[in-house]
Amino acid sequence: MDKDGQRRRWGYWWIVLCLMMHCEQPVSAQIRYSIPEEMKEGSQVGNIAKDLGLDISSLEHRRFRIVSGSKDSFFQVNQNNGILYVSKKIDREEICDGNGACLLNLKIAVENPLEVHYVEVEITDVNDHLPSFPENDLQIKIAENTLKGTRFGLPTARDLDVGLNSVRSYRLAQNDNFEIEVRDGEYGDKSPFLLLQKPLDRENQEKLFLTLTAIDGGNPPKSGTLNITVTVLDVNDNRPVCNRDTYTVSLKENASPGFTVTFINATDPDEGINGEVEYTYGRNVQRKVHDIFELDKVTGEIRVKGKIDFEENEIFSLNIMASDKGRPPMDTDCRVIIKIIDVNDNEPEIEVTSLSNIVSEDSKPGTVISLISITDKDSGINGKVVCSLSKNVPFELKPYIQQNMYSLVTKESLDREVASHYDITITATDLGNPALSASKSLSIEVSDVNDNTPQFPHSPLEIYLFENNLPGQSIFSVSATDEDKNENAHITYHIIRGEQTQSDMTSFLRINSETGVISALRSFDFETLKKFQFHILATDSGTPSLSSNLTVNVFILDQNDNVPMILHPVSANGSAEGVEEIPSNVNAGHLVTKVRAYDADIGYNGWLLFSLQEVSDHSLFGLDRYTGQIRTLRSFTETDEAQHKLVILVKDNGNVSLSATATVIVKVVEPKEAFAASDVKNAVKDEEENNVTFYLIITLGSVSVLFVISIIVLIVMQCSKSTDYSSKYLQDTNYDGTLCHSIQYRSGDKRYIIGSTIVPGSNGNTLVIPDRRRRDSGE
């Protein structure tokens, strides 16, 4: 059965096997073309796509290409029309030896889905070489008593062309003594012999000059010539005779130099030098035989000389010429056939056709990564190969359609964030004894897909910011991380804008989209705004992009930025001045008046202290530093002045305290005058106090409402947290006739207290702060 028939038969059984096993391997097919050698570059071989039934419009998208082949640089395929064309001039004699078919094997691959097709291109011969002889001139010595019909071997003409274009005939120039005889050689060549038709007469003609012409079968035919000089010698009429017509021996290819292959034994019945035989290689022995085997010319021993390789030559045919030493010498040809036995001396060869060394982490199991082709030059069991893959990798080898072909596919899902790189070792081991193996490493990179969202380290995020920040200055920054890489991990930040209501602070915030630095476009005032919330969106640059939100709670911290405001005394023109008249008969401890003040700050910054900055008589009046009450320290005497000026300094308890002053003029009058004036003054004072009380009630009501709202918001925010965590926000009120409002912020080990207190005895309209010494004593 020819090769095409065998392939068709194997293809039939393979289709049946696939149908039985539901074979899901990539599709393959095989086609064959035939072209003559020496075709011009660009010549069309055939339309592979059309012959395979492929859609020509999808060839470029499916990466239609030659992936491997024997000397595949001679051909290219056009992805636009699927045509296979010659890309390099082909000389059949350079790429193929012998008379067999010259085949170039190509592998054609397309993707999505993967298909591999096999193309054989037969290179046919053209008659582009002349027949030639090993030498131009040949000297032959023939004894004059040589019998008619004797044959003399002539060098065989060689023609690099094959088939009909090789040497087909020989022609001898016209002469009276010889004619040519042609025999078919073992390798398909034709060997010429000079046939003696008429006995020679040395005395008549000592030398004959003949011309032998070798003609090939081309159209037109080509020829080469050999000049033969025949020297007629005298009388050695017996030839050596080999004891066997053909010597056949077997030899292992790993035979070492010096190993004896066989002995040639030829005998000559002549006596003396005419019967002494020596051995030489025949004229037609190839040059490589001289390099591999050594012939002892005396003993006829053939020994191993060079390296023998079964994969290069499975058999050697040697022509040994046994010649006597007569004059003229006579010789005969002894034929030696040496059959080489294969040994396992070739490691398997691994050829990797990588579709891509980068695989996406979202590739499905079964995705083809590479095609693996295993070859072993040995034959039989020595050429059978088993292929394996390194362990603990998410890949596997699947047998392919052809023998010793595998596809490397993904075995399970990949995750670049777990492993971004794999070094895979493919090991091929033959079944020889001892077995030989080879390995090849593949480096596979796992490419990233955008499958991870940006992550903030803390959410929600709580920020504490002092009021009076500079507009445009950064107040804090955020940073998110993404486990992806490159563009998939490049994060940009945006503030999620609200509905632009009055309570929406996002319009006053700006964020650097690259760095996450947030700046405020306005200065915040604790007395106006104590807390607000906004949201930041972190988005990566993947396709499609992924994002996550961060909730930011901003708490404004108070600073001492409000000067105490004097509520009493206040003159008609608005200055902090007042006149008090008291009877001259009052006793020590009499309440002269009370300085009332208010500070818009909270906590320490709003706690007030009173002190006498200026007084005309220190022994007469005293000031309570906490309540602002001015009382007499003793009774008045006749020597005391009738009018006294007191300047009271009111300052808060901030780190850098702020202050204000009030001036009280005390006039000492007779009791009757004081009583009359007291009635008028009490009426005016009652009216003033009513106004002050009204304003104070409004102020206290606003503060209380704001305080209650703040407590409700904080409770709602912290309702899901533990008791310890919710204790960040504490409320402290004291109701003994004193209004106290305070808010405490706790952040880690830091504790912020914000509050104000109205102390009893202040008639409900003076805000003061206890002295630090009293606070330290536990008040």
Side-chain angles (χ1 to χ4, degrees):
M1 184 181 293
D2 60 8
K3 293 184 179 179
D4 290 339
Q6 290 178 349
R7 291 192 185 95
R8 288 193 296 270
R9 182 179 179 185
W10 279 108
Y12 170 79
W13 285 111
W14 177 249
I15 292 172
V16 173
L17 182 61
C18 284
L19 292 175
M20 294 175 62
M21 299 180 64
H22 301 284
C23 180
E24 295 181 358
Q25 296 291 337
V27 178
S28 78
Q30 183 165 337
I31 56 176
R32 182 171 180 175
Y33 299 106
S34 178
I35 62 170
E37 65 175 329
E38 307 293 337
M39 286 186 71
K40 294 182 180 180
E41 294 180 11
S43 298
Q44 178 175 331
V45 178
N47 193 318
I48 297 178
K50 180 178 179 181
D51 294 340
L52 292 175
L54 299 177
D55 184 4
I56 294 179
S57 63
S58 66
L59 295 181
E60 184 174 1
H61 172 70
R62 296 183 64 189
R63 297 185 63 203
F64 180 77
R65 67 198 185 280
I66 298 176
V67 295
S68 178
S70 174
K71 305 179 181 64
D72 55 358
S73 60
F74 290 114
F75 301 97
Q76 294 292 334
V77 292
N78 190 321
Q79 289 189 345
N80 294 324
N81 52 28
I83 292 177
L84 179 70
Y85 63 92
V86 178
S87 63
K88 182 179 178 182
K89 189 175 182 181
I90 303 174
D91 187 349
R92 183 189 184 281
E93 287 71 30
E94 288 183 0
I95 62 176
C96 294
D97 295 326
N99 295 325
C102 182
L103 300 177
L104 299 183
N105 296 310
L106 308 177
K107 281 191 286 188
I108 307 297
V110 290
E111 299 178 8
N112 299 322
L114 176 64
E115 296 181 19
V116 177
H117 304 282
Y118 298 88
V119 177
E120 284 186 353
V121 181
E122 180 182 10
I123 309 301
T124 60
D125 186 55
V126 297
N127 191 24
D128 57 345
H129 293 88
L130 297 173
S132 63
F133 291 89
E135 49 193 359
N136 295 328
D137 299 287
L138 175 64
Q139 301 290 332
I140 299 179
K141 297 179 181 180
I142 303 177
E144 63 177 347
N145 60 346
T146 302
L147 298 177
K148 178 182 177 181
T150 302
R151 296 178 178 83
F152 302 90
L154 298 177
T156 301
R158 301 294 180 188
D159 193 332
L160 296 179
D161 298 320
V162 297
L164 291 176
N165 296 324
S166 63
V167 176
R168 310 306 297 170
S169 63
Y170 293 89
R171 183 174 65 243
L172 187 65
Q174 182 65 37
N175 67 90
D176 296 330
N177 299 94
F178 297 93
E179 65 180 22
I180 198 71
E181 179 179 308
V182 180
R183 292 182 180 179
D184 292 331
E186 181 179 348
Y187 297 102
D189 55 352
K190 296 183 180 299
S191 300
F193 292 86
L194 199 60
L195 183 64
L196 182 62
Q197 292 293 323
K198 179 181 179 181
L200 300 173
D201 186 358
R202 187 189 65 81
E203 288 73 20
N204 184 36
Q205 189 175 8
E206 185 177 357
K207 291 183 181 294
L208 288 84
F209 299 94
L210 307 175
T211 300
L212 178 64
T213 302
I215 305 170
D216 64 22
N219 185 16
K222 298 181 182 294
S223 63
T225 59
L226 172 66
N227 296 318
I228 303 173
T229 301
V230 179
T231 301
V232 182
L233 302 178
D234 204 15
V235 191
N236 179 22
D237 56 353
N238 286 290
R239 296 176 176 277
V241 176
C242 296
N243 60 350
R244 281 188 288 175
D245 290 337
T246 302
Y247 295 83
T248 302
V249 295
S250 297
L251 178 66
K252 289 186 177 182
E253 64 172 322
N254 61 350
S256 59
F259 180 82
T260 299
V261 180
T262 189
F263 284 91
I264 305 300
N265 185 18
T267 58
D268 193 320
D270 293 328
E271 294 182 350
I273 61 174
N274 291 330
E276 295 180 9
V277 179
E278 60 181 8
Y279 305 93
T280 58
Y281 285 119
R283 295 187 180 92
N284 296 327
V285 173
Q286 297 179 354
R287 180 69 255 173
K288 66 170 61 176
V289 172
H290 293 268
D291 298 331
I292 296 175
F293 300 103
E294 180 181 13
L295 174 64
D296 191 310
K297 64 185 300 185
V298 177
T299 64
E301 179 186 12
I302 299 176
R303 296 184 296 268
V304 176
K305 178 182 178 182
K307 187 178 185 314
I308 303 173
D309 192 351
F310 172 85
E311 287 68 42
E312 291 185 5
N313 292 93
E314 299 181 14
I315 188 171
F316 289 94
S317 179
L318 283 65
N319 288 326
I320 306 300
M321 187 170 63
S323 303
D324 60 27
K325 297 182 180 180
R327 290 188 177 274
M330 300 188 72
D331 58 54
T332 188
D333 288 337
C334 301
R335 186 180 182 191
V336 180
I337 304 297
I338 302 175
K339 296 180 179 180
I340 307 302
I341 300 174
D342 182 45
V343 296
N344 191 26
D345 61 343
N346 288 281
E347 294 180 351
E349 297 179 359
I350 303 174
E351 179 188 359
V352 178
T353 303
S354 293
L355 303 181
S356 175
N357 63 342
I358 299 177
V359 58
S360 176
E361 66 174 319
D362 61 350
S363 298
K364 296 180 179 179
T367 300
V368 178
I369 307 299
S370 299
L371 299 178
I372 313 298
S373 176
I374 312 296
T375 57
D376 194 315
K377 293 181 180 179
D378 295 319
S379 62
I381 196 68
N382 296 327
K384 299 293 183 181
V385 180
V386 176
C387 196
S388 62
L389 195 64
S390 54
K391 297 180 179 179
N392 300 324
V393 293
F395 304 95
E396 62 181 345
L397 288 174
K398 287 192 174 181
Y400 210 62
I401 298 174
Q402 286 193 340
Q403 186 179 10
N404 291 340
M405 283 287 295
Y406 300 87
S407 57
L408 177 65
V409 301
T410 55
K411 183 172 62 175
E412 57 192 51
S413 298
L414 306 176
D415 189 348
R416 187 202 66 81
E417 287 70 39
V418 175
S420 61
H421 176 84
Y422 292 95
D423 290 318
I424 300 175
T425 300
I426 300 172
T427 303
T429 306
D430 61 29
L431 302 180
N433 188 17
L436 300 178
S437 63
S439 61
K440 190 155 192 173
S441 297
L442 295 180
S443 181
I444 297 178
E445 298 290 336
V446 181
S447 63
D448 185 51
V449 296
N450 193 26
D451 57 350
N452 289 279
T453 59
Q455 296 294 324
F456 289 98
H458 303 287
S459 181
L461 179 64
E462 295 181 351
I463 301 300
Y464 297 90
L465 175 65
F466 280 102
E467 65 175 333
N468 301 322
N469 55 293
L470 294 178
Q473 238 182 22
S474 64
I475 55 177
F476 66 98
S477 64
V478 294
S479 178
T481 58
D482 195 314
E483 293 183 358
D484 297 318
K485 70 175 186 176
N486 298 333
E487 290 299 319
N488 295 331
H490 181 260
I491 299 175
T492 56
Y493 304 91
H494 303 280
I495 294 176
I496 300 177
R497 303 297 179 183
E499 299 178 355
Q500 303 298 323
T501 60
Q502 187 174 1
S503 61
D504 182 20
M505 293 292 105
T506 57
S507 60
F508 300 101
L509 299 176
R510 291 293 181 269
I511 187 169
N512 187 310
S513 61
E514 297 295 329
T515 64
V517 175
I518 299 175
S519 56
L521 303 182
R522 58 166 280 184
S523 178
F524 295 110
D525 185 5
F526 175 83
E527 287 71 36
T528 303
L529 177 69
K530 292 179 174 57
K531 174 185 175 297
F532 65 91
Q533 183 185 83
F534 67 97
H535 304 279
I536 296 175
L537 181 67
T539 306
D540 60 30
S541 300
T543 303
S545 61
L546 300 177
S547 60
S548 61
N549 291 345
L550 172 66
T551 299
V552 182
N553 295 315
V554 180
F555 297 92
I556 307 300
L557 301 180
D558 184 45
Q559 285 188 321
N560 191 23
D561 58 345
N562 288 282
V563 177
M565 181 177 64
I566 306 298
L567 300 179
H568 178 80
V570 178
S571 64
N573 59 8
S575 61
E577 294 182 357
V579 178
E580 297 291 338
E581 293 182 353
I582 61 174
S584 58
N585 60 350
V586 297
N587 296 322
H590 177 76
L591 178 62
V592 177
T593 187
K594 179 178 180 179
V595 177
R596 300 181 181 89
Y598 171 76
D599 194 315
D601 294 321
I602 292 178
Y604 297 147
N605 298 325
W607 291 356
L608 303 180
L609 293 176
F610 301 84
S611 62
L612 284 171
Q613 186 177 23
E614 181 181 338
V615 63
S616 58
D617 189 344
H618 287 283
S619 65
L620 188 55
F621 300 100
L623 175 66
D624 189 309
R625 64 178 303 179
Y626 304 113
T627 64
Q629 293 178 350
I630 302 175
R631 295 181 181 273
T632 56
L633 297 178
R634 60 177 176 83
S635 301
F636 290 99
T637 64
E638 295 179 355
T639 60
D640 291 328
E641 296 290 338
Q643 181 173 311
H644 300 271
K645 179 180 180 182
L646 285 72
V647 178
I648 294 88
L649 176 66
V650 183
K651 66 176 181 178
D652 57 29
N653 205 29
N655 288 334
V656 179
S657 62
L658 302 177
S659 61
T661 58
T663 302
V664 177
I665 305 297
V666 180
K667 293 182 179 181
V668 181
V669 298
E670 291 301 323
K672 293 181 179 180
E673 296 177 4
F675 179 77
S678 176
D679 293 337
V680 177
K681 183 176 181 180
N682 285 338
V684 176
K685 186 173 181 180
D686 289 340
E687 184 179 355
E688 292 177 352
E689 287 186 352
N690 289 335
N691 292 334
V692 171
T693 302
F694 175 74
Y695 292 129
L696 184 58
I697 290 174
I698 294 177
T699 303
L700 293 179
S702 300
V703 172
S704 299
V705 170
L706 179 61
F707 172 72
V708 171
I709 293 175
S710 300
I711 292 300
I712 293 174
V713 171
L714 293 177
I715 290 175
V716 170
M717 290 180 58
Q718 305 301 324
C719 65
S720 61
K721 299 184 179 180
S722 65
T723 305
D724 292 339
Y725 181 77
S726 61
S727 64
K728 287 182 181 180
Y729 309 102
L730 300 177
Q731 176 179 343
D732 185 16
T733 34
N734 185 354
Y735 290 105
D736 304 341
T738 302
L739 177 61
C740 172
H741 57 93
S742 66
I743 299 175
Q744 300 184 19
Y745 295 155
R746 186 188 303 274
S747 175
D749 295 334
K750 297 181 179 180
R751 189 165 180 259
Y752 303 95
I753 301 176
I754 304 172
S756 63
T757 304
I758 300 177
V759 181
S762 62
N763 292 329
N765 57 4
T766 301
L767 287 88
V768 298
I769 180 171
D771 182 79
R772 280 193 174 86
R773 292 175 300 172
R774 296 178 62 184
R775 232 179 25 251
D776 294 340
S777 65
E779 181 173 341

